């Protein structure tokens, strides 16, 4: 949990409606749609059938979100660019047909030794080539523009849902296939949006080309008459029939040989993602690993994970070898087949050389169109795997969203307090996503300026209670209420240090230039980090450079800049020595005398800096609040005589009487 400045907010996860004019604008205006209804598997299905049904639904789930790019809440340029791409594809096929006719003309002229026609067609060839190159170049630009904008739109939508209401944190608390979401959003989503545009453009181009040049083959080839056993057999459109049969053989061979391609590609992508995650985990926890001397154990884990990557790569390589056998063989044979088929007609004089070359060119184009599956099956398999991985993340987010809108598990409500109370917990219960209670029946009301310490043994639910207060833990019952228009600031045990300059780290989550340099330096001075003032504009890996204690001091410096109304400290001084801890707490009290504090800590020494202590005790059925005592007596209006008498009866300075009869530090 990262320290952050929060304001009272809606918890329905809605975002502004509309569509932007660019990927950057789209990022801020994408429409977040409600999640689709949950699909329960048929209990009568076998495990294998259920898995296949799940995979089919994953592809459907991906398209439920992805196709909205062309919908009412999508990018307003989606349809114009798409229609423009279709027009360019049609124009490109037209230029292909022009070059096909040019082939016939130039070879007929060469056969006739017609120099004038050869020179004329040579001149015509230049604009044909220039036109084709221009069309193809513009087509690539428009296609990649669609891919870029679609990726930007869908990535923004997924990130908006991922970050909303702390779901990025809640995913760690629930089961499901959503491990390593950053790789799914960055890499899998990129492939999932790039490949379909290529596929659709390729299919349309192949269809138009096949339709156009089948007519050419039928017209040029005519019928083929073969004498067989004393009979004559006539095959009308023999070039078309041959092209269709040839494509059917190669496509069927590819489908049979590569039937496991999707599964192997998906397993390879998953292995790669797990390897990246393991490497990232080692980097992020480098200090602890180094201090414990765990390099050998980490190396064994990395070797094991990488071995799985190599194993999946070997399986994928076998699939590539098999598909290459078909595709490369087809590529070598396809140009020769039409020449051999047309040779008898050419030799008997019923077909000119130009017609033979035109037929060969048309046959190659038709074969390429029909053989689209042969050339793109590996990419199609890769897209399947990536689309399913991003869809798995979407499904996990769907579940969290439905839980936010449903009362089946119970949701913690967030609202505003009545009266002057800064924070109130009304019958607050915290549970796991399966309904198991962690904290039950908690009622606490905190007044302005109170400093409340939450104590209890490890595992009693203190940190879980803090997450519920911050809105990160949604499951449970009751309500958490804040005073209207008051700002909450969280200080976790491990403060988040963003990349960039030290100035940005101190100002976070505000912008680095939100405070003058002098104020930031003054804040560092007050928390004992004045020796870093000379490096405040230095861009360095501060998360790795600063010690745990320095990070916690820096987090206290943020308090001085943001000056919140309510502070929640979750073991925020655990990395500091007792003297430094006392200094930080006293500094907060002196610099922010009106602030309300809620602390979670184990150290008894912190009681002196709090006015009230509540204790959680772990019990069967969930932790409960077992005591709520005043460490400092609450101020009441009293006359002068009563104050004098109380002063005479009071214990020595530094000791006060608790409501339970004992004595505790003041």
């Amino acid at each position: 949990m990262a320290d952050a400045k929060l304001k009272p907010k809606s918890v329905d996860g809605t975002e502004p409606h509309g569509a932007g004019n660019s990927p950057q604008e789209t990022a801020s205006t994408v429409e977040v749609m409600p999640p689709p209804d949950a699909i329960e598997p048929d209990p009568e299905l076998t495990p294998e059938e259920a898995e296949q049904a799940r995979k089919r639904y994953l592809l459907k789930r991906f398209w439920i979100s992805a196709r909205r790019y062309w919908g009412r809440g999508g990018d307003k340029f989606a349809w114009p660019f798409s229609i423009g791409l279709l027009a360019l594809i049609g124009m490109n096929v037209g230029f292909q047909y022009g070059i096909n006719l040019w082939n016939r003309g130039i070879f007929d002229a060469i056969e006739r030794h017609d120099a004038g026609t050869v020179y004329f067609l040579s001149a015509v060839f230049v604009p044909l080539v220039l036109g084709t190159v221009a069309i193809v170049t513009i087509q690539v630009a428009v296609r990649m523009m669609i891919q870029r904008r679609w990726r930007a739109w869908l990535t923004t939508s997924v990130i908006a849902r991922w970050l909303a209401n702390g779901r990025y944190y809640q995913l760690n608390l629930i089961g499901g296939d959503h491990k390593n979401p950053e790789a799914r959003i960055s890499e899998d989503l990129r492939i999932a949006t790039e490949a379909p545009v290529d596929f659709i453009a390729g299919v349309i181009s192949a269809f138009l080309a096949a339709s156009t040049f089948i007519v050419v083959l039928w017209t040029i080839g005519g019928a083929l008459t073969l004498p067989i056993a004393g009979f004559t057999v006539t095959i009308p459109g023999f070039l078309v029939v041959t092209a269709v049969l040839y494509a059917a053989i190669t496509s069927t061979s590819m489908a049979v040989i590569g039937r496991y391609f999707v599964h192997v590609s998906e397993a390879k992508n998953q292995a790669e993602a797990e390897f990246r995650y393991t490497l990232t985990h080692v980097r992020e926890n480098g200090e602890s690993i180094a201090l414990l001397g765990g390099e050998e154990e980490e190396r064994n884990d990395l070797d094991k994970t990488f071995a799985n990557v190599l194993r999946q790569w070997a399986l994928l390589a076998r699939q590539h070898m098999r598909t290459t056998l078909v595709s490369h063989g087809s590529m070598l044979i396809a140009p020769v087949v039409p020449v051999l088929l047309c040779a008898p007609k050419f030799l008997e004089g019923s077909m000119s050389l130009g017609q033979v070359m035109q037929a060969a060119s048309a046959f190659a184009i038709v074969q390429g169109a029909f053989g689209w599956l042969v050339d793109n099956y590996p990419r199609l398999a890769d897209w399947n795997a990536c689309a399913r991985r991003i869809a798995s993340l979407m499904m996990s987010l769907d579940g969290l969203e439905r839980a936010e809108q449903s009362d089946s598990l119970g949701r913690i409500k967030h609202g505003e307090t009545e009266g002057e109370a800064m924070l109130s917990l009304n019958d607050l219960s915290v549970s796991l996503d399966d309904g198991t209670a962690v904290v039950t029946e908690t009622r606490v009301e905190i007044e302005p300026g109170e400093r409340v310490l939450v104590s209890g043994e490890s595992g009693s639910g203190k940190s879980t209670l803090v997450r519920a207060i911050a809105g990160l833990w949604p499951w449970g019952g009751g309500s958490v209420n804040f005073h209207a228009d008051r700002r909450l600031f969280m200080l976790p045990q491990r403060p988040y240090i963003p990349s960039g300059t030290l100035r940005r780290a101190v100002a976070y989550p505000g912008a680095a230039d939100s405070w003058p340099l002098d104020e930031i330096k003054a804040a560092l001075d007050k928390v004992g980090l004045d020796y870093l003032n000379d490096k405040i504009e230095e861009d360095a890996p501060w998360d790795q450079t600063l010690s745990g204690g320095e990070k916690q001091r820096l987090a206290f410096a943020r308090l001085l800049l943001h000056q919140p109304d309510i502070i929640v400290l979750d073991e925020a001084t655990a990395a500091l020595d007792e003297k430094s801890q006392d200094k930080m707490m006293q500094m907060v009290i002196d610099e922010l005398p009106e602030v309300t504090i809620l602390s979670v800590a184990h150290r008894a020494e912190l009681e002196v800096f709090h006015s009230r202590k509540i204790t959680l005790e772990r019990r069967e059925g969930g932790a409960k609040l077992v005591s709520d005592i005043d460490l400092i007596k609450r101020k009441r209006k009293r006359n002068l005589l009563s104050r004098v008498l109380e002063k005479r009866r009071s214990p020595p300075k530094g000791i006060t009487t608790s409501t339970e009869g004992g004595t505790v530090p003041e």
Side-chain angles (χ1 to χ4, degrees), residues 122-272:
S122 298
V124 171
F125 184 69
V126 175
L128 278 176
V129 170
L130 292 178
T132 302
V133 170
I135 292 297
V136 170
T137 302
I138 298 173
Q139 180 181 326
V140 169
V142 173
R143 174 174 55 80
M144 296 189 71
M145 177 68 74
I146 295 174
Q147 291 171 325
R148 181 171 66 89
R149 295 181 70 89
W150 189 19
R151 179 190 179 188
W153 183 89
L154 189 56
T155 299
T156 302
S157 174
V158 174
I159 289 177
R161 298 179 63 214
W162 183 51
L163 293 178
N165 301 331
R167 295 179 196 139
Y168 58 94
Y169 171 76
Q170 294 166 11
L171 286 176
N172 300 321
L173 310 175
I174 64 173
D177 182 16
H178 49 254
K179 187 178 180 181
N180 203 8
E182 60 275 10
R184 298 172 189 252
I185 294 173
S186 62
E187 185 64 15
D188 292 321
L189 197 148
R190 177 186 65 81
I191 296 174
T193 51
E194 283 183 1
V197 178
D198 290 337
F199 294 154
I200 293 173
V203 168
I204 294 174
S205 179
F207 174 78
L208 292 178
S211 302
T212 301
F213 290 98
I214 280 177
V215 175
V216 173
L217 289 177
W218 190 279
T219 303
I220 294 174
L224 179 65
T225 301
L226 298 174
I228 301 176
F231 297 94
T232 57
V233 178
T234 301
I235 305 175
F238 73 99
L239 289 177
V240 175
V241 173
T242 303
V244 172
L245 289 175
Y246 187 86
I249 292 171
T250 54
S251 298
T252 302
S253 300
M254 177 62 75
V256 172
I257 291 174
R259 63 187 181 276
Y260 300 117
F261 216 120
V262 173
H263 174 73
V264 173
S265 181
E266 187 172 348
K268 186 270 296 182
N269 288 348
Q270 181 66 30
E272 292 279 14

Side-chain angles (χ1 to χ4, degrees), residues 294-365:
E295 292 85 357
E296 188 64 29
E297 179 63 24
E298 294 299 329
R299 176 62 183 270
N300 292 336
D301 190 29
L302 287 171
D303 287 345
K304 179 181 178 181
T305 309
F306 187 57
N308 186 38
V309 172
L310 295 179
R311 183 164 53 253
Q312 297 303 328
W313 261 108
L315 295 174
L316 186 63
R318 295 175 190 173
Q319 292 293 326
H320 273 290
M321 290 169 60
R322 294 170 182 170
T323 54
T324 301
L325 180 66
V326 176
S327 61
H328 194 67
S330 173
M331 181 184 67
L332 294 175
I333 297 173
V336 179
V337 171
V339 175
L340 295 177
L341 291 174
C342 293
K345 285 198 168 190
F346 174 75
L347 294 175
E348 70 181 19
S350 61
M351 183 177 286
S352 67
L353 178 61
Q355 289 176 318
V356 172
M357 300 311 296
Q358 184 184 15
S361 173
F363 187 92
I365 293 173

Side-chain angles (χ1 to χ4, degrees), residues 496-506 512 517 532-546:
Y496 172 66
I497 308 297
S499 60
T501 64
L502 183 63
R503 180 175 184 173
R504 182 189 178 215
V506 180
L517 194 60
L532 295 176
N533 281 338
D534 294 338
K535 302 179 180 179
I536 200 167
E537 297 289 1
E538 184 177 328
D539 191 338
W542 295 108
D543 186 53
Q544 304 296 325
T545 304
L546 299 177

